[in-house]
Coordinates of all heavy atoms in Angstrom, one line a residue:
M19 N -25.2 9.6 15.4 CA -25.4 10.8 14.7 C -24.3 10.9 13.6 O -23.1 10.8 13.9 CB -25.3 11.9 15.7 CG -25.7 13.2 15.1 SD -26.0 14.5 16.3 CE -24.9 15.8 15.9
E20 N -24.8 11.2 12.4 CA -23.8 11.4 11.3 C -23.1 12.7 11.4 O -23.8 13.8 11.6 CB -24.6 11.3 10.0 CG -23.7 11.2 8.8 CD -24.5 10.9 7.6 OE1 -25.4 10.1 7.6 OE2 -24.3 11.5 6.5
P21 N -21.8 12.8 11.2 CA -21.1 14.1 11.2 C -21.6 15.0 10.1 O -22.0 14.6 9.0 CB -19.6 13.8 10.9 CG -19.5 12.2 11.2 CD -20.9 11.7 11.0
S22 N -21.7 16.3 10.4 CA -22.2 17.3 9.4 C -21.2 17.5 8.2 O -21.5 17.8 7.2 CB -22.5 18.6 10.0 OG -21.3 19.1 10.6
N23 N -19.9 17.2 8.5 CA -18.8 17.4 7.6 C -18.4 16.0 7.1 O -17.9 15.2 7.8 CB -17.6 18.2 8.1 CG -16.5 18.4 7.1 OD1 -16.5 17.7 6.1 ND2 -15.7 19.3 7.4
P24 N -18.7 15.6 5.8 CA -18.3 14.2 5.3 C -16.9 13.9 5.4 O -16.5 12.7 5.4 CB -18.9 14.2 3.9 CG -18.9 15.6 3.5 CD -19.2 16.5 4.7
F25 N -16.0 14.9 5.5 CA -14.6 14.7 5.5 C -14.2 14.2 7.0 O -13.1 13.7 7.2 CB -13.8 15.9 5.3 CG -13.9 16.3 3.8 CD1 -14.9 17.1 3.3 CD2 -13.0 15.8 2.9 CE1 -15.0 17.4 2.0 CE2 -13.1 16.1 1.5 CZ -14.1 16.9 1.0
D26 N -15.0 14.4 8.0 CA -14.8 14.1 9.3 C -15.4 12.8 9.8 O -15.4 12.4 11.0 CB -15.3 15.2 10.3 CG -14.5 16.5 10.1 OD1 -13.3 16.4 9.7 OD2 -15.1 17.6 10.4
D27 N -16.0 12.1 8.9 CA -16.7 10.8 9.2 C -15.8 9.6 9.2 O -15.4 9.0 8.2 CB -17.8 10.6 8.2 CG -18.8 9.4 8.5 OD1 -18.5 8.8 9.6 OD2 -19.6 9.1 7.8
P28 N -15.3 9.1 10.4 CA -14.5 8.0 10.6 C -15.1 6.8 10.0 O -14.5 5.8 9.7 CB -14.1 7.9 12.0 CG -15.2 8.6 12.7 CD -15.7 9.6 11.8
Q29 N -16.5 6.7 9.9 CA -17.2 5.5 9.4 C -17.5 5.6 7.9 O -18.0 4.7 7.3 CB -18.5 5.4 10.2 CG -18.3 5.2 11.7 CD -17.4 4.2 12.1 OE1 -17.5 3.0 11.6 NE2 -16.5 4.4 13.0
G30 N -17.1 6.7 7.3 CA -17.4 6.9 5.9 C -16.5 6.1 5.0 O -15.5 5.6 5.5
R31 N -16.8 6.2 3.7 CA -15.9 5.6 2.7 C -15.4 6.6 1.9 O -16.1 7.6 1.6 CB -16.8 4.6 1.9 CG -17.2 3.4 2.7 CD -18.1 2.4 2.1 NE -17.5 1.9 0.8 CZ -16.7 0.8 0.7 NH1 -16.3 0.3 1.8 NH2 -16.1 0.5 -0.4
F32 N -14.1 6.5 1.5 CA -13.4 7.6 0.8 C -12.6 7.0 -0.4 O -12.2 5.9 -0.5 CB -12.4 8.1 1.8 CG -12.9 8.8 2.9 CD1 -13.4 8.1 4.1 CD2 -13.1 10.2 2.9 CE1 -13.9 8.7 5.2 CE2 -13.7 10.8 4.1 CZ -14.1 10.1 5.1
F33 N -12.5 7.9 -1.4 CA -11.6 7.6 -2.5 C -10.2 8.2 -2.1 O -10.2 9.1 -1.3 CB -12.1 8.5 -3.7 CG -13.3 8.0 -4.4 CD1 -14.5 8.7 -4.1 CD2 -13.4 7.0 -5.3 CE1 -15.7 8.4 -4.7 CE2 -14.6 6.6 -5.9 CZ -15.7 7.3 -5.6
I34 N -9.2 7.7 -2.7 CA -7.9 8.4 -2.7 C -7.8 9.0 -4.1 O -8.0 8.3 -5.1 CB -6.7 7.5 -2.4 CG1 -6.9 6.8 -1.1 CG2 -5.4 8.2 -2.6 CD1 -5.9 5.8 -0.8
L35 N -7.6 10.3 -4.1 CA -7.5 11.1 -5.4 C -6.1 11.6 -5.6 O -5.3 11.8 -4.6 CB -8.4 12.3 -5.4 CG -9.9 12.0 -5.1 CD1 -10.7 13.3 -5.2 CD2 -10.5 11.0 -6.2
A36 N -5.7 11.8 -6.8 CA -4.4 12.4 -7.1 C -4.6 13.5 -8.2 O -5.5 13.3 -9.0 CB -3.4 11.3 -7.7
N37 N -3.9 14.5 -8.1 CA -4.0 15.6 -9.1 C -2.8 15.6 -10.0 O -1.9 14.8 -9.9 CB -4.3 17.0 -8.5 CG -3.1 17.5 -7.7 OD1 -2.0 17.0 -7.7 ND2 -3.3 18.6 -6.8
A38 N -2.7 16.5 -11.0 CA -1.6 16.6 -12.0 C -0.3 16.9 -11.3 O 0.7 16.5 -11.8 CB -1.9 17.6 -13.0
R39 N -0.3 17.4 -10.1 CA 0.9 17.8 -9.4 C 1.3 16.6 -8.5 O 2.2 16.8 -7.6 CB 0.8 19.0 -8.5 CG 0.5 20.3 -9.4 CD 0.2 21.5 -8.6 NE 1.5 21.9 -8.2 CZ 1.6 22.9 -7.3 NH1 0.6 23.5 -6.7 NH2 2.8 23.2 -6.9
Q40 N 0.7 15.5 -8.6 CA 0.9 14.3 -7.8 C 0.7 14.5 -6.3 O 1.4 14.0 -5.5 CB 2.3 13.7 -8.1 CG 2.4 13.2 -9.5 CD 3.8 12.7 -9.9 OE1 4.7 13.0 -9.1 NE2 3.9 12.0 -11.0
Q41 N -0.2 15.3 -6.0 CA -0.7 15.6 -4.6 C -1.9 14.6 -4.4 O -2.7 14.3 -5.3 CB -1.1 17.0 -4.4 CG 0.0 17.9 -4.6 CD -0.5 19.4 -4.7 OE1 -1.5 19.6 -5.2 NE2 0.3 20.3 -4.1
F42 N -2.1 14.1 -3.2 CA -3.1 13.1 -2.9 C -4.1 13.7 -1.8 O -3.8 14.6 -1.1 CB -2.4 11.8 -2.3 CG -1.7 11.1 -3.4 CD1 -0.4 11.5 -3.7 CD2 -2.3 10.1 -4.1 CE1 0.3 10.8 -4.7 CE2 -1.5 9.4 -5.0 CZ -0.3 9.7 -5.4
S43 N -5.3 13.1 -1.9 CA -6.4 13.6 -1.0 C -7.3 12.5 -0.8 O -7.6 11.7 -1.7 CB -7.1 14.8 -1.7 OG -8.2 15.2 -0.8
L44 N -7.8 12.4 0.4 CA -9.0 11.5 0.7 C -10.2 12.3 0.3 O -10.4 13.5 0.7 CB -9.0 11.2 2.1 CG -7.9 10.3 2.7 CD1 -8.2 9.9 4.1 CD2 -7.6 9.1 1.8
W45 N -11.2 11.7 -0.3 CA -12.5 12.3 -0.8 C -13.6 11.4 -0.4 O -13.7 10.3 -0.8 CB -12.3 12.6 -2.3 CG -13.3 13.6 -2.7 CD1 -14.5 13.5 -3.2 CD2 -13.2 15.1 -2.6 NE1 -15.2 14.7 -3.5 CE2 -14.3 15.6 -3.0 CE3 -12.1 15.9 -2.1 CZ2 -14.6 17.0 -3.0 CZ3 -12.3 17.3 -2.1 CH2 -13.5 17.8 -2.5
P46 N -14.6 12.0 0.2 CA -15.8 11.2 0.6 C -16.5 10.6 -0.5 O -16.8 11.3 -1.5 CB -16.6 12.2 1.4 CG -15.8 13.3 1.8 CD -14.7 13.4 0.8
E47 N -16.9 9.4 -0.4 CA -17.6 8.7 -1.6 C -19.0 9.5 -1.8 O -19.4 9.5 -3.0 CB -18.0 7.3 -1.1 CG -18.7 6.5 -2.1 CD -19.1 5.1 -1.6 OE1 -19.2 4.9 -0.4 OE2 -19.1 4.2 -2.4
R48 N -19.6 10.1 -0.9 CA -20.9 10.7 -1.1 C -20.8 12.1 -1.7 O -21.8 12.7 -2.0 CB -21.7 10.7 0.2 CG -21.1 11.5 1.3 CD -22.0 11.5 2.5 NE -21.3 12.1 3.6 CZ -22.0 12.7 4.6 NH1 -23.3 12.7 4.6 NH2 -21.4 13.2 5.6
C49 N -19.5 12.6 -2.0 CA -19.3 13.9 -2.6 C -18.9 13.7 -4.0 O -18.2 12.8 -4.4 CB -18.3 14.7 -1.9 SG -18.8 15.1 -0.2
A50 N -19.3 14.7 -4.9 CA -18.9 14.7 -6.3 C -17.3 14.8 -6.4 O -16.8 15.5 -5.6 CB -19.6 15.7 -7.1
L51 N -16.8 14.1 -7.2 CA -15.3 14.2 -7.4 C -15.0 15.6 -8.0 O -15.6 16.1 -8.9 CB -14.7 13.1 -8.3 CG -14.8 11.8 -7.9 CD1 -14.4 10.7 -8.8 CD2 -14.3 11.5 -6.4
P52 N -13.9 16.2 -7.5 CA -13.5 17.6 -7.9 C -12.8 17.5 -9.3 O -12.2 16.6 -9.6 CB -12.6 18.1 -6.8 CG -12.1 16.9 -6.3 CD -13.1 15.8 -6.3
D53 N -13.0 18.6 -10.1 CA -12.3 18.7 -11.3 C -10.8 18.7 -11.1 O -10.3 19.3 -10.1 CB -12.7 19.9 -12.1 CG -14.1 19.9 -12.6 OD1 -14.7 18.8 -12.7 OD2 -14.7 21.0 -12.8
G54 N -10.1 18.0 -12.1 CA -8.6 18.1 -12.0 C -8.0 17.0 -11.1 O -6.8 16.8 -11.0
W55 N -8.9 16.1 -10.5 CA -8.4 15.1 -9.7 C -8.8 13.7 -10.3 O -10.0 13.6 -10.8 CB -8.9 15.2 -8.2 CG -8.4 16.4 -7.5 CD1 -8.8 17.6 -7.6 CD2 -7.4 16.4 -6.5 NE1 -8.1 18.5 -6.8 CE2 -7.2 17.6 -6.1 CE3 -6.6 15.4 -6.0 CZ2 -6.2 18.0 -5.2 CZ3 -5.6 15.7 -5.0 CH2 -5.4 17.1 -4.6
Q56 N -7.9 12.7 -10.1 CA -8.2 11.4 -10.6 C -8.3 10.4 -9.5 O -7.5 10.4 -8.6 CB -7.1 10.9 -11.6 CG -6.9 11.9 -12.8 CD -8.1 11.9 -13.7 OE1 -8.7 10.9 -14.0 NE2 -8.5 13.1 -14.2
Q57 N -9.2 9.5 -9.6 CA -9.4 8.4 -8.7 C -8.2 7.4 -8.7 O -7.8 6.9 -9.7 CB -10.7 7.7 -9.0 CG -11.1 6.6 -8.0 CD -12.4 6.0 -8.4 OE1 -13.3 6.7 -9.0 NE2 -12.5 4.7 -8.2
V58 N -7.6 7.2 -7.5 CA -6.5 6.2 -7.4 C -7.0 4.9 -7.0 O -6.4 3.8 -7.4 CB -5.4 6.7 -6.4 CG1 -4.4 5.7 -6.1 CG2 -4.8 8.0 -6.8
C59 N -8.0 4.8 -6.2 CA -8.6 3.6 -5.7 C -10.1 3.7 -5.5 O -10.7 4.8 -5.4 CB -7.9 3.1 -4.5 SG -8.4 4.2 -3.0
D60 N -10.9 2.6 -5.6 CA -12.2 2.5 -5.3 C -12.5 3.0 -3.8 O -11.6 2.9 -3.0 CB -12.8 1.1 -5.4 CG -12.8 0.7 -6.9 OD1 -12.9 1.5 -7.8 OD2 -12.7 -0.5 -7.2
P61 N -13.8 3.4 -3.5 CA -14.0 3.8 -2.2 C -13.8 2.7 -1.2 O -14.0 1.6 -1.4 CB -15.6 4.2 -2.2 CG -15.8 4.4 -3.7 CD -14.9 3.5 -4.4
Q62 N -13.2 3.1 -0.1 CA -13.0 2.2 1.0 C -13.0 2.9 2.3 O -13.0 4.1 2.4 CB -11.6 1.5 0.8 CG -10.4 2.5 0.6 CD -9.2 1.8 0.1 OE1 -8.9 0.6 0.5 NE2 -8.4 2.4 -0.7
P63 N -13.0 2.1 3.4 CA -13.0 2.8 4.7 C -11.8 3.7 5.0 O -10.7 3.5 4.4 CB -13.0 1.6 5.7 CG -13.6 0.5 5.0 CD -13.1 0.7 3.6
Q64 N -12.0 4.7 5.7 CA -11.0 5.7 6.0 C -9.7 5.1 6.5 O -8.6 5.4 6.0 CB -11.5 6.7 7.0 CG -10.6 7.9 7.3 CD -11.2 8.8 8.4 OE1 -11.4 8.4 9.5 NE2 -11.3 10.1 8.0
E65 N -9.8 4.1 7.4 CA -8.6 3.4 7.9 C -7.8 2.7 6.8 O -6.6 2.7 6.8 CB -9.0 2.4 9.0 CG -7.8 2.0 9.9 CD -7.0 3.1 10.5 OE1 -7.7 4.1 11.1 OE2 -5.8 3.1 10.5
A66 N -8.6 2.1 5.9 CA -7.8 1.4 4.7 C -7.2 2.4 3.9 O -6.0 2.2 3.3 CB -8.9 0.7 3.9
C67 N -7.7 3.7 3.7 CA -7.1 4.8 3.0 C -5.8 5.2 3.6 O -4.8 5.3 3.0 CB -8.0 5.9 2.8 SG -9.4 5.7 1.7
F68 N -5.9 5.2 4.9 CA -4.6 5.7 5.7 C -3.6 4.6 5.5 O -2.4 4.9 5.3 CB -5.0 5.9 7.2 CG -5.8 7.1 7.4 CD1 -6.7 7.1 8.5 CD2 -5.6 8.3 6.6 CE1 -7.5 8.3 8.7 CE2 -6.4 9.4 6.9 CZ -7.3 9.4 7.9
R69 N -4.0 3.3 5.6 CA -3.0 2.3 5.4 C -2.3 2.3 4.0 O -1.1 2.1 3.9 CB -3.6 0.9 5.6 CG -3.8 0.6 7.1 CD -4.2 -0.9 7.4 NE -5.3 -1.4 6.5 CZ -6.5 -1.3 6.9 NH1 -6.9 -0.9 8.1 NH2 -7.5 -1.7 6.1
W70 N -3.2 2.5 2.9 CA -2.7 2.7 1.7 C -1.6 3.8 1.5 O -0.6 3.6 0.9 CB -3.8 2.9 0.6 CG -3.3 2.9 -0.8 CD1 -3.3 1.8 -1.6 CD2 -2.8 4.0 -1.6 NE1 -2.8 2.2 -2.9 CE2 -2.5 3.5 -2.9 CE3 -2.6 5.3 -1.3 CZ2 -1.9 4.3 -3.9 CZ3 -2.0 6.1 -2.3 CH2 -1.7 5.5 -3.6
L71 N -2.0 5.0 2.1 CA -1.1 6.1 2.0 C 0.2 5.8 2.7 O 1.3 6.2 2.3 CB -1.8 7.4 2.6 CG -3.0 7.9 1.7 CD1 -3.7 9.0 2.6 CD2 -2.4 8.5 0.5
E72 N 0.1 5.2 3.9 CA 1.3 4.8 4.7 C 2.2 3.9 3.9 O 3.5 4.0 3.9 CB 0.9 4.2 6.0 CG 2.1 3.8 6.9 CD 2.9 5.0 7.3 OE1 2.4 6.1 7.5 OE2 4.1 4.8 7.6
Q73 N 1.6 2.8 3.2 CA 2.4 1.9 2.4 C 3.1 2.5 1.2 O 4.1 2.1 0.8 CB 1.4 0.7 1.9 CG 1.0 -0.2 3.0 CD -0.1 -1.1 2.6 OE1 -0.6 -1.0 1.4 NE2 -0.4 -2.1 3.4
H74 N 2.5 3.6 0.6 CA 3.0 4.2 -0.6 C 3.7 5.6 -0.3 O 4.1 6.2 -1.2 CB 1.8 4.4 -1.5 CG 1.3 3.1 -2.0 ND1 0.2 2.5 -1.4 CD2 1.6 2.4 -3.1 CE1 0.0 1.3 -2.0 NE2 0.8 1.2 -3.0
R75 N 3.7 6.0 1.0 CA 4.2 7.4 1.3 C 5.6 7.6 0.7 O 5.8 8.8 0.4 CB 4.1 7.7 2.8 CG 5.1 7.0 3.6 CD 4.9 7.4 5.1 NE 5.8 6.6 5.9 CZ 7.0 6.9 6.2 NH1 7.5 8.1 5.7 NH2 7.8 6.2 7.0
E76 N 6.4 6.7 0.7 CA 7.8 7.0 0.2 C 7.8 7.3 -1.2 O 8.7 8.0 -1.7 CB 8.8 5.8 0.5 CG 9.0 5.7 1.9 CD 10.1 4.6 2.3 OE1 10.8 4.1 1.4 OE2 10.1 4.2 3.4
R77 N 6.8 6.9 -2.0 CA 6.7 7.2 -3.4 C 5.8 8.4 -3.7 O 5.7 8.8 -4.8 CB 6.1 6.0 -4.2 CG 7.1 4.8 -4.1 CD 6.7 3.7 -5.0 NE 5.2 3.5 -5.0 CZ 4.6 2.4 -5.0 NH1 5.2 1.3 -5.2 NH2 3.2 2.4 -5.0
L78 N 5.2 8.9 -2.6 CA 4.2 10.0 -2.8 C 4.9 11.4 -2.6 O 5.0 12.0 -1.6 CB 3.1 9.9 -1.7 CG 2.3 8.7 -1.8 CD1 1.2 8.7 -0.7 CD2 1.6 8.5 -3.1
Q79 N 5.5 11.8 -3.8 CA 6.2 13.0 -3.7 C 5.6 14.0 -4.7 O 5.1 13.6 -5.8 CB 7.7 12.9 -4.2 CG 8.5 11.9 -3.3 CD 9.9 11.7 -3.8 OE1 10.1 11.9 -4.9 NE2 10.7 11.1 -2.9
P80 N 5.4 15.3 -4.3 CA 4.8 16.3 -5.3 C 5.5 16.2 -6.6 O 6.7 16.1 -6.7 CB 4.9 17.6 -4.6 CG 5.1 17.2 -3.1 CD 5.8 15.9 -3.2
G81 N 4.7 16.4 -7.7 CA 5.3 16.3 -9.1 C 6.5 17.4 -9.3 O 7.4 17.0 -10.0
R82 N 6.3 18.5 -8.7 CA 7.4 19.5 -8.9 C 8.7 19.0 -8.3 O 9.8 19.3 -8.8 CB 7.0 20.9 -8.4 CG 6.8 21.0 -6.9 CD 6.2 22.3 -6.6 NE 5.4 22.1 -5.4 CZ 5.8 22.6 -4.2 NH1 6.8 23.4 -4.1 NH2 5.1 22.4 -3.2
F83 N 8.7 18.3 -7.1 CA 9.8 17.8 -6.5 C 10.5 16.7 -7.4 O 11.7 16.7 -7.6 CB 9.5 17.3 -5.1 CG 10.7 16.6 -4.5 CD1 11.7 17.4 -3.8 CD2 10.8 15.2 -4.5 CE1 12.7 16.8 -3.3 CE2 11.9 14.6 -3.9 CZ 12.9 15.4 -3.2
V84 N 9.6 15.8 -7.9 CA 10.1 14.8 -8.8 C 10.8 15.4 -10.0 O 11.9 15.0 -10.4 CB 9.0 13.7 -9.2 CG1 9.5 12.8 -10.2 CG2 8.5 13.1 -7.9
T85 N 10.1 16.4 -10.6 CA 10.7 17.0 -11.8 C 12.0 17.7 -11.5 O 13.0 17.5 -12.2 CB 9.7 18.0 -12.3 OG1 8.5 17.4 -12.7 CG2 10.2 18.8 -13.6
H86 N 12.1 18.4 -10.4 CA 13.3 19.1 -10.0 C 14.4 17.9 -9.7 O 15.6 18.2 -10.2 CB 13.1 19.8 -8.6 CG 14.3 20.5 -8.1 ND1 14.8 21.6 -8.7 CD2 15.1 20.1 -7.1 CE1 15.9 22.0 -8.0 NE2 16.1 21.1 -7.1
Q87 N 14.1 16.9 -9.2 CA 15.1 15.9 -8.9 C 15.6 15.3 -10.2 O 16.8 15.0 -10.4 CB 14.6 14.8 -7.9 CG 14.4 15.2 -6.5 CD 15.6 15.7 -5.8 OE1 16.0 16.9 -5.9 NE2 16.3 14.8 -5.2
Q88 N 14.7 15.1 -11.1 CA 15.1 14.5 -12.5 C 15.9 15.4 -13.2 O 16.9 15.0 -13.9 CB 13.8 14.1 -13.2 CG 13.1 12.9 -12.6 CD 11.8 12.6 -13.3 OE1 11.2 13.5 -14.0 NE2 11.2 11.4 -13.0
Q89 N 15.6 16.7 -13.1 CA 16.4 17.7 -13.9 C 17.9 17.7 -13.3 O 18.8 18.0 -14.0 CB 15.8 19.2 -13.7 CG 14.5 19.2 -14.5 CD 13.8 20.5 -14.3 OE1 14.0 21.3 -13.4 NE2 12.8 20.8 -15.1
K90 N 18.0 17.5 -11.9 CA 19.3 17.5 -11.4 C 20.0 16.2 -11.6 O 21.2 16.0 -11.3 CB 19.2 17.8 -9.8 CG 18.8 19.2 -9.4 CD 18.5 19.4 -8.0 CE 19.6 18.8 -7.1 NZ 19.4 19.0 -5.6
G91 N 19.3 15.1 -12.0 CA 19.8 13.9 -12.3 C 19.9 13.0 -11.1 O 20.6 12.0 -11.0
T92 N 19.1 13.3 -10.1 CA 19.1 12.5 -8.8 C 17.8 11.8 -8.7 O 17.6 11.2 -7.5 CB 19.4 13.5 -7.6 OG1 18.3 14.5 -7.6 CG2 20.7 14.1 -7.7
G93 N 16.9 11.9 -9.5 CA 15.6 11.2 -9.4 C 15.8 9.7 -9.6 O 16.7 9.2 -10.2
S94 N 14.9 9.0 -9.1 CA 14.9 7.5 -9.2 C 14.1 7.1 -10.5 O 12.8 7.2 -10.4 CB 14.4 6.9 -8.0 OG 13.1 7.2 -7.7
E95 N 14.7 6.9 -11.6 CA 14.1 6.5 -12.8 C 13.9 4.9 -12.8 O 14.6 4.2 -12.4 CB 14.8 6.9 -14.0 CG 14.6 8.3 -14.4 CD 15.6 9.3 -13.7 OE1 16.6 8.9 -13.2 OE2 15.2 10.5 -13.6

């Protein structure tokens, strides 16, 4: 039985999206992409998305945090 909520489907395929604030989201392949979000990768299984996020999590900081750190001169350029 297919889950009624596409976000809860562990067998589904998902995009990883990013917005202008450098926030990330998993987005079901079968749903239209939301305005203001850009595709980071092609659709892939949920578990592959989680692995990608885990591998990149140290670099996944909200844009306002990065901007604040750069203004303080402590950002990693």
